[in-house]
Amino acid sequence: MRIVILGGGFGGLNAALLLGKKTQSSLCEIVLVSDTSRFVFRPSLIWVPFNNRQVEEISFPINKIAEKVGIRFIQKKVASILPKERKVLCQDGTQLVYDYLIIAAGAVPDWEKIEGLKGNTASVYDTYAALQTKIQVEKIQSGQPIIIGVAQQNPAQGPAYEFLFELHTFLHKRNIRCPITFFTYEKELLNHQGKRGSLILENHMKEKQISYYCDVSIAQVQPGCLQLSNGISFPYSFSLILPPYRGADFIFSSPDLAHENGLLPTNKTLQSTQWENIYVVGDANAMKKYKSGRAAEIQGKIAAGNILNRIKGNSQQEEYHADMLYLMELGTDGGLFVIRYPGSKTGKPYFEWAVDGYLPHLMKLAFERYYSWKLS
Ligand SMILES: Cc1cc2nc3c(=O)[nH]c(=O)nc-3n(C[C@H](O)[C@H](O)[C@H](O)COP(=O)(O)OP(=O)(O)OC[C@H]3O[C@@H](n4cnc5c(N)ncnc54)[C@H](O)[C@@H]3O)c2cc1C
């Protein structure tokens, strides 16, 4: 029996760790395939441009942890999947046959989806982009207009707010004063995370004199100029805009996988709606839910547990229900902690709370420390 997991991020790694701990290697081989040798703790990428973290501090070698739990890790780029033959094809020609497959290959920015966006905005989506952004923020001078925003269809808005407040702090510490504009397609600031969180953010924006626009989308982007759907145009010297997502390239090269812009549809148990022995977790999943490392971690564990149940002949399959437990940095003002639990039947929130201050910042640091401990 072989279970193959694609992707060494939050979803894939957590699925692999659970399977490694709960299976006997003589009975079941667990193979984790990822194109990078290190797990990157992406929530800390927002600190890299401001020199508050180095890339080496927030990334961990996957092979060390794989060895500990007795799973096989292979660093290879997946080229396509042949679900009828239960095979994964890698770019170097390697073929891996599987009994069960967990796809946890994440998503990538779909820069092309909005004309003009590609190349005209900074990014913090990966270590390379965060390091490039570091070079750009170092060059910002007083008076230069800055735009930070969330483009239409982006499924994870939190990092834009975090970057905004971290940048504001960074510039203020250097006595650099710039007009900063924020925009988002959300009806209110961070509105999917509850009313209280929106109000807290509104106050912070006012206090810091950051002008903002909600419920707007990008009409046009040109080098140095952004036009919003409300007709207002903004010149900018620096911008960071979160784009829509699309799935990994190999999904587009797998003709037998039905997908929505590279993201794969599943039912609530995270099983592919098309192939019963494939599960899809994390950002790679086409669920219209907030995308986060926490969601990917929970989904990875659920998918792994559901596969184990099936191997044992147990028909029980756990379902994924989205909740919201989010920690966000607010620059000098500490952080914001939002918690939102939906009622399992109605889907309407039955518990919602948000608080800002130094404690959420400490909690974010503790979250980072926990992963560092878990993966070392
Ligand atoms: C700046 C920033 C801040 C964030 N802050 C938070 C936060 O505070 N809290 C939170 O919960 N979430 C946060 N997120 C979101 C979170 O990081 C993502 O939702 C999460 O990483 C998704 O996990 P995943 O496992 O689905 O995908 P990923 O983490 O993207 O992992 C996918 C893996 O698949 C591999 N892969 C891709 N293609 C291939 C291929 N062809 N072959 C082999 N391997 C492949 C990749 O190398 C990667 O290892 C943040 C994201 C960013 C960018």
Side-chain angles (χ1 to χ4, degrees), residues 6-13 33-36 38-46 62 76-79 104-107 124-126 156 159 162 245 248-250 281-284 290-297 325-328 364 367:
L6 306 182
F10 278 95
L13 199 57
V33 187
S34 201
D35 56 357
T36 52
R38 297 176 81 85
F39 166 85
V40 177
F41 186 75
R42 294 173 78 206
S44 296
L45 282 173
I46 45 132
I62 298 174
K76 288 194 190 298
K77 196 171 176 71
V78 174
V124 280
Y125 273 105
D126 52 49
E162 294 193 281
Y245 284 8
D249 286 342
F250 71 85
V281 303
D283 287 4
Y290 190 86
K291 302 282 185 195
S292 72
R294 174 177 157 78
E297 174 176 338
L325 216 148
Y326 202 80
L327 286 162
M328 174 186 285
K364 176 123 185 166
F367 177 39

Side-chain angles (χ1 to χ4, degrees), residues 46-101:
I46 45 132
W47 286 317
V48 171
F50 310 111
N51 215 20
N52 291 333
R53 288 292 182 286
Q54 305 307 315
V55 168
E56 309 76 55
E57 292 173 295
I58 59 164
S59 64
F60 309 89
I62 298 174
N63 59 0
K64 230 172 100 186
I65 181 84
E67 262 171 40
K68 263 192 199 171
V69 293
I71 58 174
R72 201 171 131 211
F73 169 60
I74 43 180
Q75 188 187 345
K76 288 194 190 298
K77 196 171 176 71
V78 174
S80 68
I81 296 172
L82 305 176
K84 287 179 192 155
E85 296 165 49
R86 298 189 172 198
K87 256 186 204 169
V88 172
L89 305 185
C90 298
Q91 223 168 42
D92 67 355
T94 307
Q95 299 191 6
L96 280 164
V97 177
Y98 59 83
D99 295 288
Y100 289 96
L101 179 68

Side-chain angles (χ1 to χ4, degrees), residues 62-292:
I62 298 174
N63 59 0
K64 230 172 100 186
I65 181 84
E67 262 171 40
K68 263 192 199 171
V69 293
I71 58 174
R72 201 171 131 211
F73 169 60
I74 43 180
Q75 188 187 345
K76 288 194 190 298
K77 196 171 176 71
V78 174
S80 68
I81 296 172
L82 305 176
K84 287 179 192 155
E85 296 165 49
R86 298 189 172 198
K87 256 186 204 169
V88 172
L89 305 185
C90 298
Q91 223 168 42
D92 67 355
T94 307
Q95 299 191 6
L96 280 164
V97 177
Y98 59 83
D99 295 288
Y100 289 96
L101 179 68
I102 299 180
I103 301 177
V108 289
D110 192 356
W111 298 115
E112 275 88 6
K113 190 122 189 178
I114 297 174
E115 212 186 319
L117 201 54
K118 191 176 182 183
N120 281 323
T121 170
S123 162
V124 280
Y125 273 105
D126 52 49
T127 50
Y128 176 78
L131 288 170
Q132 292 300 110
T133 300
K134 181 177 176 177
I135 298 170
Q136 289 190 44
V137 298
E138 291 281 347
K139 291 182 185 158
I140 297 176
Q141 292 177 2
S142 275
Q144 293 184 331
I146 292 172
I147 290 184
I148 312 294
V150 187
Q152 52 268 36
Q153 295 167 44
N154 174 278
Q157 304 82 16
Y161 294 90
E162 294 193 281
F163 186 84
L164 170 74
F165 291 114
E166 294 298 301
L167 177 65
H168 183 269
T169 299
F170 173 83
L171 296 177
H172 264 244
K173 276 188 185 158
R174 297 181 161 208
N175 215 15
I176 298 170
R177 301 285 183 269
C178 297
I180 304 181
T181 306
F182 182 85
F183 75 90
T184 177
Y185 71 93
E186 299 158 282
K187 294 261 182 267
E188 291 172 57
L189 296 175
L190 205 68
N191 78 321
H192 62 280
Q193 296 191 10
K195 189 75 193 160
R196 203 175 144 83
S198 304
L199 290 174
I200 291 174
L201 286 177
E202 275 174 26
N203 285 337
H204 284 284
M205 294 281 196
K206 279 178 198 149
E207 227 171 70
K208 295 180 172 62
Q209 296 177 333
I210 296 168
S211 47
Y212 64 89
Y213 297 85
C214 295
D215 203 13
V216 286
S217 51
I218 296 177
Q220 212 184 5
V221 192
Q222 284 168 353
C225 186
L226 172 97
Q227 196 190 350
L228 293 178
S229 55
N230 58 6
I232 304 180
S233 291
F234 299 94
Y236 64 84
S237 292
F238 173 84
S239 77
L240 183 132
I241 298 168
L242 303 187
Y245 284 8
R246 68 171 180 82
D249 286 342
F250 71 85
I251 304 290
F252 293 88
S253 315
S254 307
D256 290 327
L257 284 182
H259 62 87
E260 299 165 20
N261 201 22
L263 305 175
L264 297 161
T266 65
N267 56 34
K268 282 184 181 169
T269 63
L270 306 168
Q271 188 182 33
S272 156
T273 49
Q274 201 187 3
W275 301 99
E276 56 94 25
N277 59 341
I278 296 182
Y279 287 74
V280 188
V281 303
D283 287 4
N285 195 304
M287 270 183 199
K288 303 281 180 287
K289 306 278 183 206
Y290 190 86
K291 302 282 185 195
S292 72

